[in-house]
Amino acid sequence: MEPVQLLSPDGTFTPDPAWPLEVTPQLCRDFYRRMVLARRFDDEALALQRQGELGLWLQSRGQEAAQVGSILALRDTDYVFPSYREQAAALCRGLTPAELLVQWRGNALSGWDPARYRFHIYTLVLAAQLPHATGYAMGVQRDGTDEIVAVYFGDGASSEGEANEAFNWAAAAGVPLLFFCQNNHWAISTPTHIQMRAPLHQRARGFGLDAHVVDGNDVLAVHAVTRAVAEQIRAGGGPALIEAVTYRMAGHSTSDDPTRYRTASELDSWQARDPIARLESLMVAQGWIDEELRAQIARESDALAEETRRVCREFGPVDMTGMFSAVLAQQSPLLAEERRRHEALVVSYAD
Amino acid sequence: MTAVTQTVLESVQQFRLPDVGEGLEEATIVSWRVGVGDRVTHNQVLVEIETAKSLVELPSPFDGVVTELLAAEGETVKVGTPIISVGPEAAPPASQPEPTPSVLVGYGPAGDGGRRRRRRRPTASPAHPGLDGRVRAKPPVRKLARDLGVDLATVPATGPHGTITREDVERAAAPAPVEAPALVGAPEPDVTRIPASGVRKATAAAMVKSAFTAPHVTEFLTVDVTRSVKLVEELRAAPAYAGSKVTMLLLAARALIAAAKEFPDVNASWDDTAGEIVRHERVNLGIAAATPRGLVVPSVKDAGSLTLPQLAAAITELVQTAREGRAAPRDLTGGTITLTNIGVFGVDAGTPILNPGEAAILCLGQVRRTPWEHKGRIALRWTTQLALSFDHRLVDGELGSRVLARVGAILERPKWELMQL
Ligand SMILES: Cc1ncc(C[n+]2csc(CCOP(=O)(O)OP(=O)(O)O)c2C)c(N)n1
Ligand SMILES: [Mg+2]
């Protein structure tokens, strides 16, 4: 099964009657702006990690179309369970740079109030969010509202037992849940093709899920497919899975060096399919982008970058003493000793 | 790019080496991208560093002018050490640096040369520090102890929280000076004690040294060598090989030499003292030979320069002299890569231990008739298993795999491949 594609890598739009989408200048400008801002934010966070301001960062570079196209196809009230690199999706829900950074600085265990944004906290235990989402969707089902639930996860996470339990149970229970996999070809250094013999969308059908595969670097295709599938779920059609074929253009995290396990030519071939450049080609050809719009988006990006740097530097020192009292009800001698050592270390820092 | 308020400096600031990779202790300065007097803007790359994990570019957190580079290229610097000073546009070059404004992730305590105090000094603690009185060691360490026959309960722990580390186990396993009383006790009627001397003692020392310094990795490949078996028969009949022993070992030797020339990084040594990798320009091929006095590994010098008949003659001669105990010291040293043949003992494969100082050793298994897929059918073919051990300090899995695959490919299609050499 070929991934659904509406916009070819060179920016040519070909409508698909199976996945109708009214492509307007406004729609494209909105997608474009959000993807550019997301990438700028991501780059800024990377720089902050390299400057010692963040402990770790997992970049979303290359996956902007998959995230922006999909989350904007949901209602703002649909509850979303992200994994850990869904910055582009999070920004669409209005999360702030401070909320997105604070946990990676170590100042908080999670950054935002999930109820406020209808966007769950990041989950770092691979695939743990899939059963959570399934359970949440069972609740929605029992409430009888027309809300749906969406869960983001990676190709690697799909190998976890929990993912497959969730696929099965969601299908068996018929809950209103959209499984959205960003197949970015890599799980740290493990390529997708050695993790599974059958493509994920094919496996999903075996569980009884309605499944689709889409070009994840084509924001229009992602949007068209997600919108249609979301509405089908909302209408009571049961859970579904979308596999968005995309590419992690950066390392797995700031601790990772992808040149150790993948070739420059592979990266090049995906750079030619960059989701932002692709949409821009269409907009240029259609005359939907001019210097004024570019300048306006550049100003907005600069402001976002500046805010990102500012809030990160304002976080201040990290207080981790809470960890020692939060896990066990009673202090053990070992914990007390560790706490004492930690406090001595903190005192030893001059600044 | 417009200057951004909080990054513009009012006084000289230092940028300290951050921990870019979750718990790194240090990094090496690879190259500076800026020099003293250069104007820099925030996020402009200042320097490229190499950590234990990767090469990383560090972007400037400031807008200003570089007043000083505090670490030289090639220098290894602890996390938290100031590496560059940047001042305001018009700053006098030598103004005193301001204290760094806030505690940043991974930065160490000041007044200590930037040394991080994360790790406590390893002080040996008794083996049972746990609250529950259990020995604490991670699973790979437990496995190592099992493999080395070390009882963890007897090992002093130096790791965090009283855990036993890999080094603790290795220390416990290292041959300790033998304590006499244990040996001169009661007579042991069921054992024969043979003084270890000469080749046996040297072999033992070499194997222990190799096994406990070079992290070994062994890879296996089964190949269809039917064509090589036929070639061996043809060569035996050829006048150029009269007087030489022509066996599969000869073709394996030739294949290994070819692979070592093609992938010179495998024909190398690890120099611990100098902290360097020594790449040998010539392939001196060691041949492990079982002799009445024990295992010796004489080597054919500059084997890569020999024709196949010359190689056959050289190996025959060398093994013969070694068997007779006449090998010259020069023959027994200077090898750069080794071939061992356990196939002659009717064995399929083994995990050879490196000849000390070398990066790779190839082990040839027995050549046997095997049902094998050939041209889309199952046929009885001659196959053998190749095992390549390599020193993982300098040979990565990729390189090792390529070398092994190359040797296999040559033995699978020897004429075709050897013709190209
Ligand atoms: C249960 C569990 N196992 C292992 C890990 C370590 N780990 C973190 S990310 C990752 C790879 C995940 O790959 P994928 O699901 O494809 O997501 P991607 O990082 O590509 O977005 C692994 C193995 C983890 N976080 N949780
Ligand atoms: Mg992945």
Side-chain angles (χ1 to χ4, degrees):
Chain A
M1 188 161 153
E2 279 297 301
V4 177
Q5 187 187 74
L6 302 182
L7 193 57
S8 70
D10 64 7
T12 313
F13 177 73
T14 316
D16 181 341
W19 305 103
L21 181 70
E22 196 190 338
V23 179
T24 63
Q26 289 71 22
L27 185 77
C28 291
R29 285 178 193 144
D30 186 41
F31 286 160
Y32 179 75
R33 177 180 155 272
R34 290 178 188 274
M35 293 198 290
V36 169
L37 287 175
R39 184 165 294 184
R40 181 60 180 274
F41 170 69
D42 195 51
D43 285 347
E44 203 57 43
L46 170 70
L48 286 164
Q49 198 281 339
R50 295 306 189 215
Q51 290 161 355
E53 299 282 355
L54 295 176
L56 183 72
W57 184 252
L58 295 109
Q59 282 187 269
S60 52
R61 174 176 278 264
Q63 299 178 214
E64 294 90 350
Q67 295 183 19
V68 169
S70 58
I71 197 149
L72 293 180
L74 305 174
R75 291 184 188 165
D76 278 350
T77 46
D78 291 334
Y79 200 85
V80 169
F81 286 84
S83 163
Y84 44 72
R85 66 170 97 247
E86 275 70 46
Q87 286 83 254
L91 289 170
C92 290
R93 277 287 170 97
L95 275 84
T96 65
E99 288 171 326
L100 284 166
L101 295 186
V102 65
Q103 108 181 70
W104 304 106
R105 167 93 174 194
N107 293 51
L109 299 178
S110 62
W112 56 90
D113 173 2
R116 174 164 172 212
Y117 297 105
R118 312 287 297 154
F119 195 81
H120 204 68
I121 57 173
Y122 274 170
T123 295
L124 284 107
V125 180
L126 288 183
Q129 74 274 27
L130 280 80
H132 298 166
T134 308
Y136 194 99
M138 289 170 69
V140 170
Q141 187 180 42
R142 279 154 184 71
D143 288 347
T145 65
D146 70 347
E147 194 183 322
I148 70 166
V149 181
V151 57
Y152 288 92
F153 60 103
D155 45 288
S158 80
S159 298
E160 294 282 345
E162 277 164 299
N164 295 281
E165 289 170 30
F167 298 154
N168 182 56
W169 185 244
V175 297
L177 175 58
L178 170 61
F179 291 102
F180 193 92
C181 177
Q182 293 172 78
N183 177 352
N184 62 8
H185 284 79
W186 291 94
I188 311 186
S189 56
T190 305
T192 312
H193 66 86
I194 68 167
Q195 288 226 19
M196 53 192 90
R197 282 284 168 267
L200 178 61
H201 58 272
Q202 192 176 315
R203 188 195 332 157
R205 285 202 199 99
F207 282 109
L209 293 168
D210 181 35
H212 305 276
V213 56
V214 57
D215 180 341
N217 284 13
D218 170 356
V219 69
L220 301 179
V222 172
H223 191 66
V225 171
T226 311
R227 207 179 55 176
V229 170
E231 289 324 308
Q232 171 192 312
I233 297 170
R234 205 180 304 283
L241 179 142
I242 296 175
E243 178 179 357
V245 181
T246 178
Y247 192 72
R248 194 196 76 207
M249 282 162 88
H252 169 71
S253 74
T254 45
S255 302
D256 177 43
D257 179 2
T259 62
R260 292 193 174 196
Y261 53 80
R262 67 186 193 191
T263 61
S265 62
E266 179 181 315
L267 183 61
D268 281 352
S269 78
W270 281 95
Q271 232 128 26
R273 286 175 264 181
D274 185 291
I276 300 182
R278 187 186 297 204
L279 182 62
E280 193 173 332
S281 304
L282 173 74
M283 293 167 74
V284 169
Q286 299 291 328
W288 292 346
I289 184 165
D290 56 14
E291 279 320 302
E292 195 190 316
L293 181 61
R294 283 183 208 275
Q296 182 205 320
I297 293 175
R299 274 193 305 275
E300 252 187 289
S301 298
D302 286 348
L304 177 65
E306 180 175 346
E307 189 201 346
T308 303
R309 286 193 290 276
R310 182 181 56 79
V311 297
C312 186
R313 290 183 178 141
E314 280 172 3
F315 282 138
V318 180
D319 179 12
M320 294 197 293
T321 42
M323 282 193 317
F324 298 98
S325 45
V327 179
L328 297 181
Q330 284 186 337
Q331 280 271 12
S332 72
L334 181 65
L335 257 185
E337 169 63 10
E338 285 179 347
R339 183 194 191 113
R340 191 194 58 70
R341 285 225 178 90
H342 173 72
E343 285 166 355
L345 174 72
V346 171
V347 169
S348 80
Y349 288 120
D351 40 30
Chain B
M1 195 179 287
T2 46
V4 172
T5 37
Q6 82 273 12
T7 58
V8 174
L9 302 178
E10 286 169 5
S11 57
V12 176
Q13 300 268 345
Q14 291 180 334
F15 178 47
R16 297 181 184 191
L17 182 72
D19 171 5
V20 294
E22 296 174 272
L24 295 175
E25 305 253 306
E26 59 184 25
T28 303
I29 306 288
V30 176
S31 64
W32 282 105
R33 301 286 174 76
V34 295
V36 172
D38 286 356
R39 221 188 139 258
V40 294
T41 53
H42 66 272
N43 292 359
Q44 176 183 339
V45 174
L46 297 175
V47 61
E48 187 180 38
I49 61 168
E50 180 168 21
T51 72
K53 293 180 177 175
S54 53
L55 278 176
V56 171
E57 293 178 331
L58 298 184
S60 173
F62 313 124
D63 291 307
V65 172
V66 177
T67 58
E68 209 177 345
L69 301 184
L70 303 166
E73 290 181 358
E75 196 177 320
T76 299
V77 181
K78 295 276 178 211
V79 165
T81 312
I83 55 171
I84 185 173
S85 297
V86 179
E89 293 275 325
S95 62
Q96 271 309 94
E98 285 275 293
T100 316
S102 66
V103 176
L104 303 178
V105 174
Y107 278 20
D112 194 10
R115 195 165 60 80
R116 296 201 325 164
R117 292 205 195 133
R118 281 245 175 103
R119 294 195 187 253
R120 276 169 290 127
R121 190 138 299 190
T123 42
S125 54
H128 303 284
L131 295 175
D132 46 8
R134 282 196 346 233
V135 172
R136 290 174 188 276
K138 292 177 184 160
V141 177
R142 289 180 185 273
K143 173 168 190 314
L144 178 71
R146 246 195 336 272
D147 292 348
L148 298 180
V150 171
D151 176 6
L152 280 177
T154 65
V155 179
T158 66
H161 316 299
T163 47
I164 297 173
T165 64
R166 185 164 271 280
E167 290 73 34
D168 295 338
V169 172
E170 282 169 358
R171 216 172 292 129
V178 176
E179 289 185 31
L183 290 182
V184 296
E188 301 155 293
D190 288 335
V191 297
T192 313
R193 296 198 154 265
I194 302 146
S197 60
V199 173
R200 171 60 34 213
K201 205 166 167 184
T203 302
M207 291 300 107
V208 167
K209 179 165 171 240
S210 174
F212 293 117
T213 53
H216 284 57
V217 173
T218 307
E219 295 190 334
F220 301 91
L221 180 69
T222 305
V223 285
D224 177 346
V225 292
T226 310
R227 291 192 179 96
S228 283
V229 169
K230 290 199 180 120
L231 180 61
V232 164
E233 276 163 22
E234 286 172 39
L235 297 181
R236 276 185 187 148
Y241 296 89
S244 296
K245 262 194 95 178
V246 177
T247 65
M248 188 58 71
L249 179 89
L250 174 64
L251 296 186
R254 183 55 185 239
L256 182 59
I257 294 164
K261 279 163 68 177
E262 211 170 310
F263 301 98
D265 288 341
V266 80
N267 190 43
S269 318
W270 178 264
D271 184 346
D272 221 337
T273 4
E276 289 171 340
I277 292 167
V278 186
R279 203 159 82 186
H280 306 292
E281 297 310 326
R282 288 157 196 233
V283 181
N284 295 339
L285 178 73
I287 305 282
T291 73
R293 297 156 58 238
L295 176 77
V296 294
V297 189
S299 57
V300 181
K301 300 291 159 359
D302 200 0
S305 68
L306 304 181
T307 63
L308 196 55
Q310 286 170 337
L311 183 66
I315 294 177
T316 308
E317 200 347 33
L318 204 61
V319 172
Q320 188 58 32
T321 36
R323 291 239 167 87
E324 294 164 7
R326 295 188 291 109
R330 187 184 168 273
D331 290 338
L332 296 176
T333 54
T336 61
I337 195 162
T338 293
L339 175 62
T340 178
N341 182 6
I342 59 171
V344 292
F345 308 116
V347 175
D348 285 328
T351 55
I353 294 181
L354 293 162
N355 209 18
E358 298 178 15
I361 180 167
L362 179 72
C363 178
L364 185 63
Q366 78 167 306
V367 178
R368 56 151 83 222
R369 296 288 272 173
T370 317
W372 194 257
E373 199 225 327
H374 180 63
K375 296 188 175 162
R377 288 160 194 268
I378 293 172
L380 272 185
R381 304 284 291 177
W382 292 104
T383 69
T384 190
Q385 227 186 93
L386 303 171
L388 183 79
S389 291
F390 48 88
D391 183 344
H392 217 353
R393 289 175 301 185
L394 62 163
V395 179
D396 287 336
E398 182 187 358
L399 176 61
S401 308
R402 281 174 193 267
V403 169
L404 182 58
R406 187 76 187 107
V407 171
I410 294 175
L411 291 179
E412 243 162 7
R413 314 195 54 182
K415 278 191 191 157
W416 183 250
E417 297 289 349
L418 292 171
M419 238 156 50
Q420 324 252 311
L421 302 176

